[in-house]
Amino acid sequence: MNESTEFEYVGFWLRVCAHLIDTVLVLVVIIPILFSIYGSEELVSGVTLSGPMNILVSYILPAAVVITFWQARQATPGKMAIGARIVDARTGDKPSIKQDAIRYLGYFVSTFPLCLGLIWVGIDKRKQGWHDKLAGTVVVRRKNGGAEPVKFGD
């Protein structure tokens, strides 16, 4: 088993911070687009937006952007802000596009039931959520005096 003393796993609270940054950035892009499509009445009234444009803007666009960031930078802007990146759990290399797609879809699995798959990051020794386990990835950053050294392999 390869062990890296250069990196550490990124834990639950740092990943929550990264996700909050990403959520704000996504909303800054998506809300004006939805506003231009549906108008202020429907957005402000809380009416459920439906139709192909909502699916495109609210689901497909964010998925495409996130997976593109993962492929280009191994991180979203939020993860970059905390110095984290996503790597293959076995090798430490850049994940494949298949792993990134599985990881993204795994977020939906991780939120059911009661976000347990996301909370799992705080419990797991390698700080993997269910989406990471499904995709075979881990989130790491340069070591800042963290606890557990990163181990690549099974």
Side-chain angles (χ1 to χ4, degrees), residues 8-19:
E8 63 185 358
Y9 298 115
V10 180
F12 179 79
W13 290 111
L14 276 175
R15 288 173 70 171
V16 167
C17 290
H19 184 72

Side-chain angles (χ1 to χ4, degrees), residues 1 9 12 29 33-35 42-43 71 76 80 90 105 107 109 111 123 146 152:
M1 215 182 285
Y9 298 115
F12 179 79
V29 172
I33 294 171
L34 290 174
F35 179 80
E42 206 164 328
L43 283 177
Q71 279 293 294
T76 55
M80 286 187 265
R90 286 187 28 241
L105 293 172
Y107 275 119
V109 174
T111 59
I123 299 167
F152 297 112

Side-chain angles (χ1 to χ4, degrees), residues 51 64 127 153:
K127 307 301 180 195

Side-chain angles (χ1 to χ4, degrees), residues 25-134:
L25 292 174
V26 166
L27 289 174
V28 164
V29 172
I30 287 177
I31 288 175
I33 294 171
L34 290 174
F35 179 80
S36 70
I37 295 168
Y38 293 101
S40 63
E41 290 279 322
E42 206 164 328
L43 283 177
V44 173
S45 68
V47 173
T48 303
L49 305 175
S50 60
M53 286 308 290
N54 184 50
I55 292 168
L56 178 68
V57 173
S58 297
Y59 297 98
I60 296 172
L61 177 63
V65 169
V66 166
I67 292 172
T68 299
F69 264 104
W70 288 348
Q71 279 293 294
R73 300 290 189 122
Q74 293 178 257
T76 55
K79 281 188 179 52
M80 286 187 265
I82 64 165
R85 62 188 175 119
I86 303 160
V87 297
D88 182 281
R90 286 187 28 241
T91 65
D93 294 332
K94 178 181 174 180
S96 67
I97 191 147
K98 179 180 176 182
Q99 284 176 293
D100 285 341
I102 291 169
R103 188 174 193 277
Y104 191 87
L105 293 172
Y107 275 119
F108 295 101
V109 174
S110 294
T111 59
F112 297 105
L114 304 172
C115 296
L116 184 59
L118 300 174
I119 294 167
W120 204 259
V121 171
I123 299 167
D124 190 77
K125 183 176 181 178
R126 296 176 79 192
K127 307 301 180 195
Q128 288 178 296
W130 292 354
H131 54 289
D132 291 310
K133 290 187 178 295
L134 288 167

